[in-house]
Amino acid sequence: MGGVNSPSRSFKKMGLMAPLFISEARDAYLWDANGRQYIDYLAAFGPIILGHAHPKVTEAISFAAAKGPLYGAPHLAEATLGAMLQEAVPALDKVRFVNSGTEAVMTTVRLARAFTKRTKILKFAGCYHGHFDLALIEAGSGPATLGLASSAGLSEQLLAEVITIPFNDEQALEQVFRAEGEQLAAALIEPMVGNFGIVEPKSGFLAKLNKLAHQYGALVIYDEVISAFRFHYGAAQDLYQVQPDLTALGKIIGGGLPIGAYGGRADIMSLIAPEGPVYQAGTMAGNPLSMAAGIACLEELKQQRDKGYQQMANFATVLKTTLEEAADQKQLPLVVNQLKGAFSVHFTSGEVTNYAEAMQADDQLFNQFFKLLLKEGIYTAPSKYEAWFVSLAHTEEDIAKTALAIRKVLAQMSS
Ligand code: PLP
């Protein structure tokens, strides 16, 4: 199974069979089993926005562990974290915790189908929504890196229930609603894509999606598992001033521990059991450790919200500029898509606004780039579709060292 418990951790597609084994992580650094230190921009695929082993998060987890890691009954920290999410994401009339982003998105789909009494789901090519069956059709970063257009093991019937169109394509949106609008239960989308690079919606695209969906009686589900709390203290839906009917969350809200959450309109959420007939459950859901880590993480983010998010954005801009200048000098085709403290690196000469354009990026150049950076002690995701995440733990010195490494690496690369 490739030595990994999640395929996106594998280095196989990078031409290296074995991934690095990590023995410790602190601040912005990882140490491998040989004691070699790396500056980390993976952030564990998103959650680690404060940096690794942040003292406040670690303390909160220890404190919660000492009071018992699991009760199988409600407890106050669930309500506290729930209220923090509701305060930061106004579309969450009601919210429930689960254990992963996959579970969160999966449940919003079930809920949308129950509410609308329809089955078809519209999704957008390359957006990744976790590994439940329906989400694995044209599913972006992980499966794409491994060369799976989708997964084996999906039923034929399922393929007929999912319609996939390109992100940012208003014409396709209009066509699909004209043809299938009355059968659609929901449109499921990453409002700001993090899974075929960092790709923002074109102006008006999300508003159009909302308008068409509601005109045809379908719901809009935003998967904000990556985007919530990544760019500001809240969700991407505020940045673009649109409100979905349902939102799925994960990653950062758990401070590095397993978590997912979903929520939205009260009339839809009240269908969830035991209030309503839609079943969703979890032995570990809302467990005290994940709640404690999530509360500590969000408290810290909230405290640092003005300065902290700006600092991450400034650091990302330094790295983007360095990448562009160094690629220019070497005459390598390079596009860096940046949103505040996150960016993605595409070895292509065209713009990257959808999955097809992201796929055009050169694999061989990306693989060289990844391997050479690793040699220089810079840890990034082993996939041309994944983002770099700057964290609050990165220092000016880390950024300067990374910029040096980037210059060195790009100078060594050959097309
Ligand atoms: N949705 C998005 C946008 C994601 O990026 C991911 C994971 O990368 C998921 C859902 C699935 O989350 P998890 O891996 O916690 O199941």
Side-chain angles (χ1 to χ4, degrees):
M1 293 181 300
V4 291
N5 277 308
S6 186
S8 44
R9 298 174 196 166
S10 169
F11 286 3
K12 187 174 162 194
K13 194 73 198 300
M14 300 295 105
L16 300 167
M17 280 313 286
L20 288 183
F21 275 62
I22 302 302
S23 56
E24 195 177 337
R26 215 174 332 107
D27 303 326
Y29 316 114
L30 298 171
W31 284 268
D32 70 16
N34 297 320
R36 183 149 192 258
Q37 184 178 339
Y38 300 84
I39 303 177
D40 177 36
Y41 293 95
L42 181 71
F45 292 92
I48 307 299
I49 192 165
L50 301 181
H52 295 279
H54 189 279
K56 287 196 179 148
V57 177
T58 307
E59 192 188 340
I61 295 171
S62 309
F63 191 71
K67 297 210 303 184
L70 198 60
Y71 309 138
H75 61 102
L76 198 58
E78 292 170 296
T80 305
L81 186 56
M84 290 173 84
L85 295 183
Q86 286 176 305
E87 189 218 346
V89 186
L92 302 177
D93 295 343
K94 294 186 177 206
V95 64
R96 177 170 278 185
F97 289 106
V98 289
N99 300 298
S100 67
T102 298
E103 270 187 73
V105 185
M106 180 179 74
T107 312
T108 60
V109 169
R110 184 181 305 145
L111 195 47
R113 286 172 154 177
F115 186 80
T116 59
K117 300 190 170 51
R118 299 172 178 182
T119 46
K120 286 197 178 176
I121 301 295
L122 172 64
K123 61 190 283 301
F124 295 82
C127 287
Y128 178 67
H129 301 295
H131 67 89
F132 64 107
D133 281 6
L134 174 156
L136 283 174
I137 297 166
E138 297 201 49
S141 58
T145 301
L146 291 175
L148 310 171
S150 60
S151 168
L154 306 181
S155 74
E156 289 286 319
Q157 188 195 351
L158 189 71
L159 293 171
E161 288 171 1
V162 181
I163 303 161
T164 307
I165 62 170
F167 190 80
N168 268 333
D169 186 338
E170 287 202 14
Q171 235 183 336
L173 204 56
E174 280 164 9
Q175 274 169 7
V176 84
F177 273 100
R178 262 200 308 273
E180 309 265 1
E182 271 150 25
Q183 296 176 60
L184 287 175
L188 169 61
I189 191 165
E190 287 180 77
M192 193 254 50
V193 178
N195 279 297
F196 49 83
I198 295 290
V199 177
E200 288 198 75
K202 287 184 178 162
S203 164
F205 182 69
L206 293 175
K208 178 153 232 159
L209 173 61
N210 256 28
K211 184 162 168 259
L212 284 168
H214 293 155
Q215 187 183 325
Y216 283 89
L219 300 183
V220 175
I221 303 170
Y222 279 5
D223 177 348
E224 298 236 28
V225 168
I226 283 190
S227 53
F229 299 96
R230 167 53 59 189
F231 306 107
H232 72 132
Y233 190 81
Q237 51 198 263
D238 321 327
L239 295 179
Y240 304 115
Q241 298 183 330
V242 276
Q243 268 208 354
D245 301 295
L246 293 169
T247 301
L249 304 165
K251 300 207 187 234
I252 289 174
I253 66 163
L257 261 54
I259 203 163
Y262 65 93
R265 275 170 44 190
D267 57 334
I268 308 173
M269 288 298 288
S270 54
L271 290 185
I272 291 288
E275 206 177 335
V278 176
Y279 198 71
Q280 175 274 309
T283 302
M284 301 291 168
N287 74 79
L289 300 193
S290 296
M291 298 299 106
I295 293 167
C297 177
L298 293 194
E299 276 175 349
E300 185 64 16
L301 273 180
K302 192 172 183 182
Q303 216 173 28
Q304 299 218 26
R305 69 169 138 184
D306 298 329
K307 218 175 88 247
Y309 282 103
Q310 191 53 52
Q311 176 182 296
M312 290 189 279
N314 293 346
F315 284 170
T317 303
V318 171
L319 297 180
K320 172 183 157 78
T321 311
T322 307
L323 280 157
E324 288 171 343
E325 284 172 5
D328 221 36
Q329 271 173 18
K330 191 73 191 196
Q331 296 192 322
L332 289 170
L334 183 76
V335 169
V336 182
N337 281 2
Q338 182 197 352
L339 179 59
K340 299 177 191 269
F343 60 91
S344 52
V345 178
H346 307 267
F347 287 97
T348 180
S349 43
E351 57 175 6
V352 176
T353 64
N354 61 33
Y355 186 42
E357 288 163 357
M359 282 197 294
Q360 296 293 315
D362 191 296
D363 290 297
Q364 187 262 342
L365 284 175
F366 185 86
N367 292 6
Q368 282 185 57
F369 178 65
F370 169 82
K371 282 190 276 197
L372 289 168
L373 275 177
L374 201 61
K375 247 191 188 164
E376 293 302 316
I378 310 295
Y379 198 101
T380 59
S383 163
K384 70 174 184 176
Y385 298 107
E386 298 281 355
W388 290 47
F389 293 117
V390 174
S391 79
L392 284 171
H394 285 106
T395 63
E396 261 178 50
E397 197 189 339
D398 295 329
I399 300 302
K401 276 189 190 163
T402 308
L404 262 181
I406 286 171
R407 286 186 196 287
K408 185 170 166 193
V409 160
L410 284 171
Q412 286 168 22
M413 282 173 56
S414 54
S415 44

